[in-house]
Amino acid sequence: LPVITYVNPDVEKFLREELGRDIPVVSADPQTIYDVLKDLVLHPQKRDILSKKAMDFATKYHDYREIVKKLSAIYDALWNGK
């Protein structure tokens, strides 16, 4: 299922422009949640695409194996002065 959450527009802009990452979530707030849910219910293909993108994003940026690699490189650089 796709992720539905509120995304501050400034945070979304920072992620896109500064980090080159588009986050695969559907932004909603209390005023828009009904319409967002209705749209996703009526468009199963859109749900499927967003779900795949969310899983790919989580695997790429939050998988513990990838995080360990990055942290190991940071620790190595700090420890060895690289």
Side-chain angles (χ1 to χ4, degrees), residues 8-22:
N8 181 296
D10 293 332
V11 172
E12 186 174 17
K13 182 179 176 184
F14 171 79
L15 289 169
R16 191 180 339 80
E17 293 178 2
E18 300 297 324
L19 300 180
R21 296 181 188 169
D22 281 321

Side-chain angles (χ1 to χ4, degrees), residues 59 62-72:
T59 300
H62 299 291
D63 183 87
Y64 73 92
R65 292 167 289 225
E66 295 302 317
I67 293 170
V68 166
K69 289 178 195 175
K70 291 175 185 174
L71 283 175
S72 293

Side-chain angles (χ1 to χ4, degrees), residues 6-53:
Y6 173 73
V7 180
N8 181 296
D10 293 332
V11 172
E12 186 174 17
K13 182 179 176 184
F14 171 79
L15 289 169
R16 191 180 339 80
E17 293 178 2
E18 300 297 324
L19 300 180
R21 296 181 188 169
D22 281 321
I23 53 173
V25 301
V26 179
S27 187
D29 60 35
Q31 289 76 37
T32 63
I33 189 70
Y34 176 83
D35 291 331
V36 166
L37 287 169
K38 183 178 177 181
D39 181 58
L40 291 171
V41 167
L42 294 175
H43 300 97
Q45 185 177 23
K46 184 176 185 177
R47 283 195 320 265
D48 293 342
I49 291 167
L50 287 167
S51 296
K52 168 116 176 58
K53 287 182 178 182

